[in-house]
Amino acid sequence: MLSDLKPEDTKSAVEYLLKIYNGLNVIATQELAEETINIAQTKKTPVYDTLYIALTQKEKGTLYTADQKLCTTANTITNTKLLKPTK
């Protein structure tokens, strides 16, 4: 990427990326481990799917997924929206 930038644009690009990164709310998987396991066992759902559910629940957000099965399971726990392909 840096080879495609003009030298004068490199600094502003890096500053922009750092601004985006600093605005992220990073949550470690271990913070979600207990709830993730509880959901996985209760709903008989793979752990990798239940991580998304636990995170959405923790953040009081909306889980957007194109996976119908995940949407159905998650919707019993947290706010979930099924994404549909566009034509």
Side-chain angles (χ1 to χ4, degrees):
M1 180 176 125
L2 291 179
S3 64
D4 294 338
L5 293 174
K6 297 176 190 169
E8 60 271 16
D9 295 333
T10 303
K11 183 178 178 185
S12 63
V14 170
E15 288 172 352
Y16 184 71
L17 289 172
L18 287 173
K19 185 176 179 179
I20 291 171
Y21 178 79
N22 290 333
L24 295 175
N25 182 15
V26 178
I27 297 177
T29 301
Q30 67 191 102
E31 289 181 52
L32 303 169
E34 186 176 338
E35 184 60 21
T36 297
I37 296 302
N38 288 339
I39 295 168
Q41 290 175 339
T42 304
K43 299 294 183 178
K44 309 262 189 281
T45 304
V47 170
Y48 56 84
D49 280 346
T50 55
L51 272 168
Y52 295 112
I53 297 170
L55 177 59
T56 304
Q57 186 177 32
K58 177 179 173 54
E59 292 296 302
K60 297 174 178 61
T62 301
L63 174 61
Y64 292 89
T65 180
D67 182 329
Q68 176 67 59
K69 188 174 179 181
L70 175 59
C71 184
T72 301
T73 300
N75 212 25
T76 65
I77 300 168
T78 190
N79 192 23
T80 310
K81 302 285 183 199
L82 181 64
L83 299 174
K84 297 180 183 178
T86 58
K87 293 181 181 181

